[in-house]
Amino acid sequence: MDQYDVIVIGAGVTGCAAARYLSRYDARILVLEKEEDVCAGTSKANSGIVHAGFDAPPGKWKAKMNVKGCTMVRELSETLEFPYRNNGSLVLCFDEAAKPDLQKLYDRGIENGVPDLQLLTGDEVREREPAVSPEVVAALWAPTAGIVCPFSMTVAFAENAAANGAVFQFLESAQDIRREGDGFTVVTDKGAYHTRAVVNAAGVYADEFHNKMSAHKIAITPRRGEYVLMDKEVGGLVSATIFQLPDKLGKGVLVTPTAHGNLLVGPNAQDLNDKEDTETTQTGMDDIKQRALKSVPNVPYNKMITSFAGLRAHDDQGDFVLGEPADCPGFFDAAGIESPGLTSAPAIGEYLAEQIAGKLGFAEKADFIATRKGFTEVAKLPAAERAKLIAERPEYGRIVCRCENISEGEIIDAIRRTPGARSLDGVKRRVRQGMGRCQAGFCTPKTMEILSRELGIPMTEITKNRPGSEMVRCDDETV
C-alpha cells in the first residue's frame, strides 16, 4: 500500500490551494480527484468574484478567511501569474428606507477589517457607473474587491504544488476512509493508500467523508446557481462588480465584468437533492435576466454567448467547516466552502497546511519554488516578441481558436504542463480555446487532433471532460 503524509480529497480551488501550501513542507502529498482534471466541480462554475469581506458576520470563518484571502489572491496573481483585476464592488440601495441596512453592511465590513469602505450617494454611484439604474439612492463602495479567473487560479495552485512534489491522481474516486494505526486508509475505486493526515476538500460530498469520521455530523446541501455570459463586445458596460442590497425578496443577482473582459449576470439559488445536477433552465435564465435589470436597465442580452450553472456546497449551519473535528485528530475539514470560498481558498489552504505541518512536525523546504510562470498568450505579445516566438516555435503562429486568438502552441502547452489537460474542457480552462462567441463551434476538430497527437490516443477517446463524454464514435457497422 502506497504511503503518504497527507492525502487531499478533491482538486477544486480549495484542495489545490491546500496542496500548494502543503508543498512548502518536506512531506509526501497526494491529491485525489474523481474527475479528469482540476477545477471540474464547483470551482469551474462561479462568479469569479474576489469579495472584499463585508458580507459575513464578524467572527465567522467566512469573514476571517475572506478578508485575508482577498489580499492573498491579489498578491498570488503576480507570483503565480493568473488573471486578476482589482475593479472594486458596489452594493446598490434602491430605497431611502433601506439605507440603515446599507449602513449595517458598512459597519460589519469595518468590524471585519475591510479597508477603505465608503458610502456613496446615488449621484456618486452614477458618476462612477453611468449604466446603473436611476432608481439607486445610495451604495456601499468596496475598492479592495476584484475579479479573477477561477480556472486559471486553480490551475496555478495545482501546477505550483506539482512543481514542488505534490502528486495528482485523476479519475480516481475516494470511496471510503477509515482510521488505522497512527493514520488513515483512504480506499478509492482503484486501490488504497495509507496517510498520516487527510484534507477533506470534497465539495458537495465533503459531508459524507466528515460523517464517516466524526460523531459531530454536518449536512451539505447542493445549491445551484445559474449564470448568463455575454460577449466581450459588451464587457465594459460596468467596470465594478454590481451587487444589490438584500431585501425581502432575497439578495438579487450581480452584474460584473469578468477577468477576461466578458459581462456576467447571475446567480440565482435553488437548493437541490442531486449533487450532480448542473443543468440550466429556461425559468432560471429568465429569472436572473429580469432581476439584473433592476441594477443595470440596459443589459444587452442579445450579446449572450452561453449560460451555465454550478453547485455551491452550502453547510446547513451557514459557515465554513475548517480544521479537525474534536473526535478525529489528523482529519482536516475544508467543508461547506461556498461563497466567499473562491476568495478564501488561499487563506484556507495556508491555514490547513500550517495546522497539519505543526501537528506532524513537517520541516519547511529550503528549495520551495514560490513562483510559477503563466501560459504564453500570443495575441497579447508585442509584435516583435510575437514574431521572434513564432520563428522559434512555428506552432504559435497557427491560430486554432479564432474567437479568442488561441494558437496551436498554446494548446500544446496546456497539454504538456503538469498537471496537463487531458480533455477539451481541460484545454479550455487553461488557455480559453472555445470560450469565445462561437463556443468552440469552429476550433473543436483541430483541438481534438492536437489532443490525439499529443496524448497518443485515437480520436474516438477524446472527451469533452469525464469518460463517457467522447466526442466521436466509430461503430463497427459503419467502418
Side-chain angles (χ1 to χ4, degrees):
M1 185 184 299
D2 290 344
Q3 305 282 324
Y4 290 92
D5 293 306
V6 188
I7 290 180
V8 180
I9 301 175
V13 66
T14 305
C16 289
R20 190 264 175 176
Y21 282 98
L22 282 164
S23 72
R24 296 191 301 184
Y25 301 97
D26 186 13
R28 295 161 297 174
I29 303 156
L30 173 66
V31 183
L32 293 172
E33 172 53 53
K34 67 184 181 70
E35 303 296 341
E36 94 292 351
D37 198 7
V38 302
C39 198
T42 297
S43 302
K44 79 174 187 299
N46 59 67
S47 309
I49 305 303
V50 181
H51 294 275
F54 51 75
D55 191 47
K60 295 282 191 179
W61 279 120
K62 285 184 177 181
K64 291 183 283 188
M65 293 297 165
N66 184 353
V67 174
K68 184 175 183 180
C70 181
T71 299
M72 293 177 73
V73 170
R74 182 171 62 249
E75 295 170 349
L76 287 164
S77 71
E78 298 181 2
T79 58
L80 299 183
E81 294 192 3
F82 54 81
Y84 162 86
R85 179 149 57 99
N86 178 209
N87 67 320
S89 69
L90 285 163
V91 181
L92 306 183
C93 175
F94 301 90
D95 186 349
E96 291 285 345
K99 280 186 176 181
D101 293 329
L102 196 69
Q103 180 68 50
K104 289 177 183 177
L105 207 57
Y106 171 88
D107 294 340
R108 183 185 297 172
I110 296 299
E111 188 172 351
N112 285 344
V114 181
D116 303 325
L117 291 174
Q118 297 178 48
L119 291 170
L120 305 179
T121 66
D123 288 341
E124 288 173 329
V125 173
R126 282 179 287 275
E127 186 176 348
R128 289 176 178 271
E129 297 286 352
V132 303
S133 168
E135 303 299 319
V136 173
V137 298
L140 175 63
W141 166 242
T144 57
I147 46 180
V148 70
C149 175
F151 324 115
S152 300
M153 187 167 83
T154 306
V155 168
F157 290 156
E159 288 189 353
N160 191 230
N164 285 291
V167 175
F168 286 77
Q169 293 279 88
F170 297 107
L171 295 175
E172 187 160 2
S173 175
Q175 305 286 302
D176 194 15
I177 180 172
R178 56 180 181 264
R179 182 174 284 286
E180 290 190 357
D182 61 349
F184 304 86
T185 294
V186 178
V187 181
T188 76
D189 55 354
K190 295 183 178 178
Y193 306 91
H194 188 268
T195 181
R196 298 172 67 193
V198 172
V199 174
N200 174 25
V204 293
Y205 293 97
D207 56 344
E208 298 180 16
F209 292 105
H210 171 98
N211 293 341
K212 287 177 182 289
M213 303 307 301
S214 176
H216 306 289
K217 305 304 183 185
I218 64 173
I220 289 176
T221 300
R223 179 168 288 174
R224 183 171 63 192
E226 298 171 271
Y227 295 87
V228 171
L229 184 72
M230 280 150 279
D231 191 74
K232 289 181 178 180
E233 180 183 336
V234 296
L237 180 65
V238 294
S239 59
T241 297
I242 309 297
F243 295 100
Q244 297 173 6
L245 181 66
D247 59 21
K248 61 183 180 181
L249 298 178
K251 295 181 69 174
V253 300
L254 61 82
V255 179
T256 184
T258 70
H260 293 288
N262 298 87
L263 186 70
L264 183 69
V265 167
N268 52 10
Q270 182 181 5
D271 289 348
L272 307 172
N273 294 318
D274 186 349
K275 294 188 176 185
E276 296 292 333
D277 186 354
T278 56
E279 293 183 354
T280 55
T281 65
Q282 189 60 56
T283 300
M285 293 296 101
D286 292 343
D287 174 50
I288 60 176
K289 285 181 178 181
Q290 184 60 39
R291 290 163 63 195
L293 297 177
K294 180 178 180 181
S295 299
V296 182
N298 59 337
V299 176
Y301 292 121
N302 61 325
K303 299 298 182 181
M304 174 180 167
I305 60 174
T306 193
S307 61
F308 62 92
L311 297 177
R312 289 162 270 177
H314 175 69
D315 177 72
D316 286 2
Q317 296 184 26
D319 198 9
F320 299 153
V321 180
L322 300 180
E324 295 174 291
D327 57 351
C328 193
F331 180 90
F332 291 80
D333 277 312
I337 310 300
E338 59 179 343
S339 181
L342 182 70
T343 311
S344 303
I348 293 171
E350 182 181 56
Y351 169 76
L352 293 177
E354 289 175 351
Q355 292 289 305
I356 295 168
K359 185 179 188 69
L360 300 184
F362 295 159
E364 290 196 32
K365 291 177 180 173
D367 58 349
F368 173 69
I369 303 167
T371 60
R372 169 252 188 193
K373 178 67 176 173
F375 284 92
T376 299
E377 296 182 77
V378 175
K380 294 183 179 180
L381 294 176
E385 191 174 338
R386 186 187 315 145
K388 180 181 178 182
L389 177 65
I390 293 171
E392 295 172 353
R393 289 185 57 184
E395 59 267 32
Y396 281 117
R398 296 192 284 269
I399 298 300
V400 175
C401 174
R402 295 179 178 180
C403 297
E404 295 290 314
N405 288 314
I406 306 302
S407 68
E408 180 176 351
E410 290 159 270
I411 294 171
I412 291 171
D413 291 344
I415 299 167
R416 291 182 180 177
R417 289 172 74 140
T418 304
R422 294 295 178 268
S423 65
L424 287 167
D425 282 356
V427 173
K428 178 170 67 173
R429 291 182 199 122
R430 285 164 175 80
V431 295
R432 293 187 58 77
Q433 168 273 326
M435 281 196 175
R437 62 180 56 170
C438 90
Q439 289 291 288
F442 175 81
C443 54
T444 292
K446 181 59 179 178
T447 305
M448 290 175 64
E449 290 179 13
I450 299 168
L451 276 163
S452 176
R453 183 188 71 217
E454 289 294 316
L455 299 178
I457 60 177
M459 292 280 278
T460 51
E461 294 182 17
I462 302 300
T463 59
K464 183 180 186 301
N465 40 65
R466 68 181 71 178
S469 64
E470 288 78 13
M471 298 296 292
V472 297
R473 189 179 75 182
C474 184
D475 293 327
D476 291 340
E477 297 94 321
T478 62
V479 174

